[in-house]
Amino acid sequence: MSLDSLPDRSAWRALSAHAGSMKTRHLRDIFHADPDRGTRLRLEAVGWYFDYSKNLVTDETLALLLQLARESGVAERRDAMFAGEHINVSEDRAVLHVALRMPEDTPLEVDGVDVVADVHRVLARMSAFAEAVRSGEWRGHTGKPIRNVVNVGIGGSDLGPVMAYEALRHFAQRELTFRFVSNVDATDFVEAVRDLDPEETLFIISSKTFGTLETLTNATSARAWIVDHLVDERAVAKHFVAVSTNAEKVAAFGIDVTNMFEFWDWVGGRYSMESAIGLSTMIAIGPENFTAMLQGFHAMDEHFKSAPLEENLPVLLGLLALWNHDFLGYPTVGVMPYDQYLHRLPAYLQQLTMESNGKHVTLDGQHVTYDTGPVYWGEPGTNGQHSFYQLIHQGTTKVPVDFIAFAKSLNPLGEHHDILISNVFAQAEALAFGKTEGELRAEGASEAVIPHRVMEGNRPSNVLLTKELSPYVLGSLVALYEHSVFVQGTVWGIDSFDQWGVELGKQLSVKIIPELTCDATPELDHDSSTNTLITHYRSLKQTGPDHDHR
Ligand code: G6Q
């Protein structure tokens, strides 16, 4: 399908003109003129209730956005992804995280291989291993059962596992302790293991490439920690497993490849939490719950694949984000889960959205002439309300917010849950409708304070509501955001599946590492700022401990 460049598509041009008039309108008036929109601009799919009526959109806006999706070939590219075509063009790879959650009886041949059969072969090995650890059958080197599981990985090999563990803690085997080490800062490793018994500790070294400096540095320290305490190199066999695509490097590191769980180059790091990268999740919640999570992912995949665009949850979520960013000019999106278990979801979504769509060239290498990926950020509610929500309500930057909420608490306790959820509805209401001078006066507010208390409103939000957090629901939620990222990336015509932007920093740090050792005297040939920083660092390193600052 050949496409016009984005700014030349008729829907894009129409939306640009339409945005001019929408910017002069207020959600108060839009609701006044269309009082039933709250019952109309909503969608129920895969157990989710999606209220998008508090966006600055009309039926015309929505029709134009859907036309834009059609003119941008969203459905065609989606089908190409599901068929295993190499839609990651800059790396010439298929993009098949959807295959990770396909049922066993749905073969999918890609480049001559049934990838679904491979997925289920690895899932079966993961299940057997997870059960062995959970039951105590897998013993450490000295014969003690494993009580602590430490995932060592970074980026996509960390954020998914830690987010999923935290999200699904309620379903976890509580006798086991889980830790996640990602940062090359030794503090991360030292603090993670300081109260653990090495005899009862299993490390999962998670790295797609098995070449990531941070992970290999932490893994080397972990191996030294085990070998030093257990005083036997052979202990590695019982205390280390690997998750990777690279068997050679796993073996070179000293982990027996029979203790390696594989995945494939068609799984992007940030799209890998339900692959073998989710081994820690499976050990925590058990294979049955892990399967339920995969089913949740798959249900959203099927919905994305088959629902008409106008009733398609990821399509609408993606198009609304694009409308807010490209046409209304809002630079960020706040994601606020009103559930403590989801406290790492914003960090996870930051990577998913920003590493995927933070790109300035199109698939054919042209510099874009429009804005791509917005900044995603957030915190769980209600904590954020007592810090940065001030700016969201009265600041000069508008922040569209995705509120995520559950009708039932996993920890019902007194009035807590109704209080929590009342805040979701109240915040969305306040953002949209604000508070006028007239309302304040009627309440008897003093004239001097009225300007400070006026809430302009007209700030868009979505509410995603479902019954209860579960492995299935988490899977469907993550798949929803994955596909909404896909929709936006497709309209922008960018490669949402590569990440060249993180490479340069990695290369430069490798050059600088030897320059930081104090006795090294290599000629520094960076810019004057970097040279001076390195020199100053070296001299600070040589000074004694500064007790006054402790
Ligand atoms: C994700 C990125 C990146 C990656 C990490 C870890 O999409 O590619 O975050 O996951 O750099 O890479 P390894 O798993 O290869 O160690």
Side-chain angles (χ1 to χ4, degrees), residues 45-112:
V46 199
W48 286 96
Y49 179 99
F50 177 51
D51 176 356
Y52 56 99
S53 63
K54 294 194 187 83
N55 282 280
L56 196 58
V57 294
T58 59
D59 290 346
E60 185 187 354
T61 325
L62 293 165
L64 287 172
L65 286 168
L66 290 163
Q67 186 190 328
L68 180 65
R70 289 190 190 95
E71 289 178 10
S72 303
V74 166
E76 291 77 3
R77 193 153 182 271
R78 172 199 63 195
D79 294 345
M81 173 174 76
F82 277 88
E85 288 179 28
H86 286 208
I87 65 163
N88 176 354
V89 291
S90 81
E91 296 180 319
D92 191 17
R93 284 179 183 164
V95 174
L96 267 177
H97 42 281
V98 291
L100 297 169
R101 48 261 196 158
M102 282 185 182
E104 204 163 2
D105 56 359
T106 48
L108 175 63
E109 284 232 344
V110 176
D111 305 329

Side-chain angles (χ1 to χ4, degrees), residues 211-230:
T212 304
L213 184 58
E214 291 92 328
T215 300
L216 292 184
T217 306
N218 278 319
T220 303
S221 297
R223 189 174 52 189
W225 185 76
I226 287 288
V227 171
D228 288 354
H229 281 88
L230 305 185

Side-chain angles (χ1 to χ4, degrees), residues 204-460:
I204 303 175
I205 312 301
S206 297
S207 176
K208 182 175 170 180
T209 55
F210 231 77
T212 304
L213 184 58
E214 291 92 328
T215 300
L216 292 184
T217 306
N218 278 319
T220 303
S221 297
R223 189 174 52 189
W225 185 76
I226 287 288
V227 171
D228 288 354
H229 281 88
L230 305 185
V231 207
D232 192 343
E233 279 283 341
R234 289 172 305 170
V236 170
K238 290 290 174 193
H239 294 268
F240 282 82
V241 297
V243 177
S244 189
T245 58
N246 195 330
E248 264 174 42
K249 286 196 177 169
V250 168
F253 179 81
I255 296 176
D256 187 339
V257 288
T258 55
N259 290 337
M260 169 181 148
F261 299 85
E262 69 180 303
F263 63 118
W264 307 271
D265 72 354
W266 42 262
V267 184
R270 57 195 173 276
Y271 296 88
S272 68
M273 60 170 270
E274 72 282 24
S275 71
I277 289 289
L279 184 60
S280 58
T281 315
M282 193 193 268
I283 296 172
I285 64 174
E288 213 172 296
N289 278 320
F290 196 85
T291 302
M293 184 179 82
L294 296 181
Q295 287 165 348
F297 271 104
H298 183 64
M300 188 60 77
D301 295 343
E302 288 292 295
H303 166 75
F304 178 51
K305 205 162 80 165
S306 58
L309 296 188
E310 60 277 15
E311 290 164 25
N312 196 308
L313 190 42
V315 169
L316 287 176
L317 186 67
L319 290 175
L320 288 165
L322 189 134
W323 163 250
N324 284 329
H325 188 51
D326 283 291
F327 297 100
L328 299 183
Y330 307 149
T332 82
V333 179
V335 185
M336 313 299 172
Y338 276 61
D339 188 298
Q340 190 59 28
Y341 284 127
L342 292 182
H343 71 111
R344 293 293 287 161
L345 183 71
Y348 175 80
L349 291 181
Q350 261 173 15
Q351 181 188 29
L352 177 65
T353 57
M354 287 156 66
E355 200 168 40
S356 297
N357 283 342
K359 313 280 163 72
H360 66 230
V361 290
T362 58
L363 290 163
D364 55 2
Q366 304 301 310
H367 204 292
V368 296
T369 54
Y370 40 83
D371 279 334
T372 63
V375 171
Y376 274 76
W377 59 286
E379 277 288 317
T382 60
N383 294 2
Q385 289 175 212
H386 297 266
S387 61
F388 53 78
Y389 273 44
Q390 166 61 39
L391 181 148
I392 298 185
H393 284 291
Q394 288 188 309
T396 51
T397 297
K398 286 192 182 171
V399 182
V401 177
D402 289 351
F403 292 104
I404 299 168
F406 301 92
K408 288 159 79 101
S409 171
L410 292 172
N411 296 298
L413 182 63
E415 295 295 303
H416 283 249
H417 198 65
D418 284 346
I419 295 172
L420 175 72
I421 302 306
S422 71
N423 278 279
V424 175
F425 302 150
Q427 290 298 323
E429 197 177 15
L431 285 170
F433 306 113
K435 189 144 214 176
T436 63
E437 272 183 45
E439 285 165 345
L440 285 161
R441 225 162 255 132
E443 285 174 9
S446 78
E447 285 302 317
V449 88
I450 283 177
H452 300 281
R453 291 186 53 189
V454 164
M455 310 267 276
E456 287 171 352
N458 210 22
R459 286 150 202 255

Side-chain angles (χ1 to χ4, degrees), residues 470-492:
S470 67
Y472 181 94
V473 164
L474 182 71
S476 69
L477 180 63
V478 172
L480 166 60
Y481 275 94
E482 286 177 347
H483 297 320
S484 104
V485 161
F486 175 91
V487 169
Q488 294 170 69
T490 299
V491 173
W492 289 320

